[in-house]
Amino acid sequence: MADNKKIAILSSSRFAGKINEDIWLRDALLLQGEQCEIVAWENENIVWTDYKSAVLRSCWGYHNHIDDFLKFLHKLDHLKIPLFNDTRIVEWNIQKDLQFKDLKLLGIKTVPTIFLENDALNFKNAIAEHGFEKYENLVVKPSISGSGDRTYIVSQNKNISDFKNKLSLEEAECLFQKAVAENQVRGIIIQPFLPGISEGEYSFVFIDSKLTHIAIRYPGIFGAKKDPVEIKKSLVSDDMMLFAEQCQKALNHISSTIKKGYVPLYLRCDIIRNSSQLYLMEAEMAEPDLLIKTISSNSARENVIKTFAGSIIERSR
């Protein structure tokens, strides 16, 4: 590839140039001698052939424009501009039904989930069919979403006074039927609300298959919003560390099957403990927040960013 071509750090029109981790990555790439820019994927004035590769970062909100976003990724493929992570991996990752099915086949325990197509939104029948009546509270959300958008808690005994974003089952079904009619969602997910989520999700971040750091995230959808915090590996239980490694290896295997021999540049595994059971809440391989900002040591944070930049440069050759 031509040496005078640039690396694109893909953001969105809302977040381009405003996210510290994007800026740190850009600066690290520049320090290593690469031409690099943070650009919004929606920007129609960009000449994409000026770029030799692109890395998905703060494209948050793409789920509201999913057709345009996927069309854009395929445009990069058509122009033979390598995308990290690869378009096929991203397409697989954002389809949670495929993600969970493939992970279960490899022995990874995911949160029990009902997937409903847009033309089959009968919540009561689905809950009965899958035996979800046993769960006191349920979470209902679009199958492709982000940042808690259109995510609600539904109680089957109407005891939901302690939660934000609460709806009755009937209210939730009506709301999503309207969203489907307006072509705003692609399928619905129903999951049990696991009380263990209140203790936080443990996010394990891997770059080129190596665990670089761990953070605890506290989703603020149903309660008070708390900032994510770093947690040292030594403070994570052995069984959770082992489970995170199993998840990462399973995701590498799936990736190499989707695209022969492909290893994800980055991935984030979000894990919770509910009672004594560990669950993979979600594997993020599209545009996750890699939570580098949580790393308390300046030198450790700089090393992670330098490693990330170096891997991008190596894959861009």
Side-chain angles (χ1 to χ4, degrees), residues 68 126 270 279:
D68 290 337
D270 295 335
Y279 294 93

Side-chain angles (χ1 to χ4, degrees), residues 135-140 151-168 171 191-199 219-225 274:
Y135 299 116
E136 182 176 351
N137 298 311
L138 300 171
V139 175
V140 183
T151 298
Y152 303 94
I153 192 163
V154 172
S155 178
Q156 301 197 77
N157 62 13
K158 304 188 184 304
N159 182 28
I160 51 178
S161 58
D162 294 335
F163 296 104
K164 299 190 301 182
N165 292 18
K166 53 185 182 284
L167 293 175
S168 69
E171 288 172 332
Q191 296 174 319
F193 175 80
L194 302 180
I197 193 70
S198 63
E199 301 300 318
I221 302 304
F222 309 124
K225 177 68 174 175
N274 193 64

Side-chain angles (χ1 to χ4, degrees), residues 246-309:
Q246 291 170 339
C247 292
Q248 182 265 328
K249 289 177 181 176
L251 291 162
N252 272 18
H253 175 78
I254 292 167
S255 298
S256 67
T257 301
I258 294 171
K259 182 177 180 181
K260 188 174 181 180
Y262 188 83
V263 176
L265 169 63
Y266 55 82
L267 63 89
R268 194 186 83 201
C269 295
D270 295 335
I271 295 170
I272 70 162
R273 186 188 298 278
N274 193 64
S275 299
S276 60
Q277 182 62 59
L278 293 171
Y279 294 93
L280 178 66
M281 292 291 289
E282 194 167 11
E284 297 278 9
M285 301 166 71
E287 35 54 85
D289 182 345
L290 294 178
L291 302 169
I292 296 172
K293 60 182 175 287
T294 66
I295 302 175
S296 56
S297 163
N298 289 338
S299 60
R301 185 171 62 246
E302 289 169 3
N303 283 336
V304 170
I305 296 164
K306 183 178 179 180
T307 296
F308 192 23

Side-chain angles (χ1 to χ4, degrees), residues 6-256:
K6 297 171 286 188
I7 295 173
I9 297 174
L10 295 175
S11 182
S12 61
S13 56
R14 180 180 178 186
F15 294 109
K18 299 177 182 178
I19 305 301
N20 282 338
E21 292 183 10
D22 291 355
I23 295 168
W24 296 337
L25 178 59
R26 179 201 63 194
D27 292 348
L29 287 164
L30 291 172
L31 280 174
Q32 295 185 47
E34 291 291 331
Q35 296 187 67
C36 175
E37 292 176 342
I38 300 170
V39 292
W41 70 269
E42 310 101 317
N43 189 337
E44 295 181 356
N45 296 318
I46 297 289
V47 180
W48 292 106
T49 51
D50 288 344
Y51 298 89
K52 61 181 177 181
S53 65
V55 55
L56 285 169
R57 294 314 311 127
S58 53
C59 297
W60 306 324
Y62 76 89
H63 62 281
N64 293 318
H65 312 278
I66 188 64
D67 290 332
D68 290 337
F69 182 68
L70 292 176
K71 188 182 297 183
F72 166 73
L73 300 189
H74 284 288
K75 176 181 178 179
L76 295 184
D77 286 349
H78 178 73
L79 294 172
K80 301 190 184 306
I81 299 170
L83 177 70
F84 315 128
N85 281 321
D86 184 82
T87 298
R88 282 166 282 185
I89 306 302
V90 171
E91 287 184 308
W92 171 84
N93 185 236
I94 65 177
Q95 297 180 77
K96 298 301 184 288
D97 52 342
L98 295 181
Q99 182 187 136
F100 282 18
K101 175 185 175 183
D102 290 345
L103 285 167
K104 285 179 183 177
L105 290 174
L106 294 174
I108 301 300
K109 193 169 186 65
T110 59
V111 178
T113 304
I114 300 171
F115 294 97
L116 296 179
E117 300 293 336
N118 283 357
D119 59 354
L121 293 191
N122 190 314
F123 288 5
K124 190 172 182 179
N125 285 355
I127 288 167
E129 181 182 344
H130 289 82
F132 272 35
E133 303 101 327
K134 62 186 176 184
Y135 299 116
E136 182 176 351
N137 298 311
L138 300 171
V139 175
V140 183
K141 60 184 179 181
S143 58
I144 300 176
S145 64
S147 302
D149 191 21
R150 290 194 176 94
T151 298
Y152 303 94
I153 192 163
V154 172
S155 178
Q156 301 197 77
N157 62 13
K158 304 188 184 304
N159 182 28
I160 51 178
S161 58
D162 294 335
F163 296 104
K164 299 190 301 182
N165 292 18
K166 53 185 182 284
L167 293 175
S168 69
L169 189 64
E170 294 76 15
E171 288 172 332
E173 184 169 327
C174 181
L175 185 150
F176 280 105
Q177 284 177 339
K178 182 174 185 294
V180 166
E182 295 173 354
N183 198 33
Q184 295 177 344
V185 296
R186 285 189 177 189
I188 310 299
I189 286 175
I190 301 176
Q191 296 174 319
F193 175 80
L194 302 180
I197 193 70
S198 63
E199 301 300 318
E201 296 180 0
Y202 286 68
S203 294
F204 294 76
V205 177
F206 295 85
I207 295 175
D208 265 341
S209 301
K210 295 179 182 178
L211 178 64
T212 57
H213 56 288
I214 309 166
I216 301 181
R217 299 166 60 247
Y218 300 94
I221 302 304
F222 309 124
K225 177 68 174 175
K226 296 169 64 176
D227 291 333
V229 294
E230 178 188 25
I231 183 167
K232 300 299 182 184
K233 297 176 187 178
S234 59
L235 298 178
V236 179
S237 64
D238 290 343
D239 64 332
M240 187 177 286
M241 287 294 297
L242 177 61
F243 184 59
E245 292 169 3
Q246 291 170 339
C247 292
Q248 182 265 328
K249 289 177 181 176
L251 291 162
N252 272 18
H253 175 78
I254 292 167
S255 298
S256 67

